């Protein structure tokens, strides 16, 4: 492989893994980043427009579909969309009933939202990696990474939302004292071991959102990279690897959405536990 | 961003993937959906059937109740009628008995009267004979005039 080819290969991969970033560039001010370097120079004060747009679009799609099904819902034999939506709702409800031991009417809708939203965002991955970047480059947009869950900002955002709820319900159900006691007196119920307990429990608590975010991001990002690598094969050979990988991703897409949801419910269930 | 054959290659792959989904992924999902639909339809059917059965049973129970009520009232009516009849019969019997008693008393009285009359008649004939004896101052042969006297007595 020639040196030029290698450069273009690297460029191709980097290009596909670069989000459309809008931010405060030290030289250009508030603008769209035209390269990965510019994007990283923007630092924290930047926003991935593609991640935001596609995730919001998927969220709206979820709301639209489920609201439509809810509005035309009948008590008779469900057909088509209503049937499918009911099946998903039932699935999530059963899961929450099995895992969540406390009583909180927020949890089931939250789990449904997480599951379907992440499922929709993950499903975008099935669309061939070049379709949207090419389309948007024709429209003058340099970068377009359509799968929000391959952006750690999106997954960490979701996980922080769940983390906020974990903290909120921990304080609400156990009270400040109860929560502090849980953090300081478990697993070893002895005053001399309070610092050790505290270290252990705080780390365990803080790791929760990161494990949620990293698991989803890692799986999706790795899958995306493989798709991009497969896309660099000769065009007549792409399908040989691309099709099995896509089929495998039918499983991954559902599984990762499911795992994220289940773990969120498990964490929230633990937040509701009295000691 | 260049358009090249990669796009064609991905499209081929995508087409194959879509075909695979239509062929192998969609049918199980569709089956599950249909099964769920069927299960719900069956459940609703069973429920409505049970409802209908309940309605029928209720109707039947009501009918039985109505019939038994009717029967009870019929029996009551019959009993009433029978008791009235019995009272009537008893009354009739009592009346007949009374009448019979009255009749027998009457006939007894009549007999008594007749007997008194007979006695009276016998005495009257005796007195008449006595009277006649006195009048005639001769004894009338009782044997000879017995028949005549009897006739006289019978005429009284």
């Amino acid at each position: 492989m020639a040196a030029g080819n290698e450069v273009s290969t690297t460029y191709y991969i980097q290009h596909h893994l670069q989000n459309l970033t809008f931010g405060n560039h030290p030289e250009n001010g508030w603008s769209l980043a035209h390269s990965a370097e510019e994007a990283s120079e923007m630092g924290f004060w930047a926003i991935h427009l593609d991640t935001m747009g596609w995730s919001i679009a998927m969220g709206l799609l979820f709301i639209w579909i489920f609201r439509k099904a809810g509005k035309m819902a009948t008590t008779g034999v469900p057909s088509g969309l209503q049937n499918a939506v009911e099946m998903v709702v039932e699935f999530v409800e059963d899961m929450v009933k099995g895992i969540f031991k406390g009583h909180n009417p927020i949890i089931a809708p939250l789990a449904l939202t997480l599951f379907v939203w992440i499922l929709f965002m993950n499903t975008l991955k099935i669309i061939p990696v070049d379709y949207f970047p090419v389309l948007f480059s024709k429209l003058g947009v340099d970068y377009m990474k359509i799968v929000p869950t391959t952006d750690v900002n999106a997954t960490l955002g979701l996980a922080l939302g769940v983390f906020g709820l974990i903290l909120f319900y921990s304080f609400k159900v156990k009270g400040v004292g109860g929560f502090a006691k849980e953090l300081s007196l478990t697993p070893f119920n002895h005053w001399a071991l309070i610092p050790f307990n505290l270290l252990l429990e705080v780390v365990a608590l803080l790791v929760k959102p990161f494990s949620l975010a990293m698991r989803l991001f890692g799986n999706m990002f790795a899958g995306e990279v493989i798709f991009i690598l497969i896309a660099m094969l000769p065009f007549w050979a792409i399908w040989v690897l691309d099709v099995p990988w896509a089929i495998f991703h039918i499983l991954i897409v559902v599984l990762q959405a499911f795992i994220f949801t289940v773990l969120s419910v498990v964490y929230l269930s633990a937040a509701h536990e009295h000691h | 961003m260049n358009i090249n054959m990669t796009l064609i290659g991905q499209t081929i792959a995508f087409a194959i993937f879509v075909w695979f989904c239509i062929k192998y992924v969609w049918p199980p999902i569709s089956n599950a959906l249909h099964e769920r639909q069927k299960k719900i339809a069956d459940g609703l059917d069973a429920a409505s059937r049970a409802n209908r059965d309940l309605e029928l049973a209720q109707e039947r129970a009501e009918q039985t109740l109505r019939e038994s009520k009717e029967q009870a009232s019929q029996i009551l009516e019959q009993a009433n009628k029978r008791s009235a009849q019995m009272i009537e019969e008893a009354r009739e019997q009592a009346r007949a008995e009374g009448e019979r008693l009255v009749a027998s008393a009457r006939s007894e009285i009549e007999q008594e009267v007749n007997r008194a009359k007979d006695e009276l008649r016998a005495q009257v004939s005796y007195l008449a004979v006595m009277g006649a004896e006195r009048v005639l101052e001769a004894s009338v042969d009782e044997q000879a005039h017995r028949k005549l006297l009897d006739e006289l007595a019978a005429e009284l």
Side-chain angles (χ1 to χ4, degrees), chain B residues 67-140:
Chain B
E67 270 171 18
S68 57
K69 260 186 192 162
E70 224 163 77
Q71 244 170 8
S73 74
Q74 236 169 25
I75 288 170
L76 209 66
E77 205 178 316
Q78 254 174 6
N80 271 341
K81 222 190 273 176
R82 179 103 190 83
S83 76
Q85 206 180 345
M86 270 163 82
I87 289 169
E88 195 59 37
E89 267 171 22
R91 195 178 284 156
E92 193 66 32
Q93 248 172 5
R95 210 160 47 86
E97 184 70 17
E99 265 168 22
R100 200 178 54 78
L101 280 175
V102 168
S104 81
R106 207 169 268 164
S107 73
E108 219 167 286
I109 288 165
E110 221 163 282
Q111 260 173 8
E112 209 66 30
V113 168
N114 280 351
R115 200 162 46 235
K117 265 184 186 169
D118 279 354
E119 249 166 58
L120 214 60
R121 212 175 281 139
Q123 276 178 6
V124 164
S125 67
Y126 173 71
L127 282 174
V129 169
M130 287 272 282
E133 247 172 39
R134 294 270 165 89
V135 171
L136 292 174
E137 281 180 22
S139 111
V140 177

Side-chain angles (χ1 to χ4, degrees), chain A residues 12 15 76-79 83-84 86-87 90 126 128-131 134 137-138 231 235 238-239 242-243 246-247 250, chain B residues 1-14 16-17 20-21 25 32-34 36-37 40-41 44:
Chain A
Y12 182 81
H15 186 269
V77 179
S79 60
N83 194 17
E86 273 181 12
M87 209 168 176
E90 232 172 45
I126 300 299
V129 286
D130 269 344
Y131 276 19
V134 166
S137 76
K138 291 292 140 200
F235 83 93
I238 287 175
W239 68 272
D242 193 90
V243 171
I247 291 165
I250 295 173
Chain B
M1 194 73 223
N2 306 317
I3 294 184
N4 53 24
M5 291 303 271
T6 308
L7 203 60
I8 310 282
Q10 282 181 16
T11 305
I12 294 168
F14 192 52
I16 295 171
F17 175 73
F20 178 87
C21 284
V25 179
L33 285 171
H34 274 124
R36 186 176 183 279
Q37 210 169 359
I40 291 171
L44 286 176

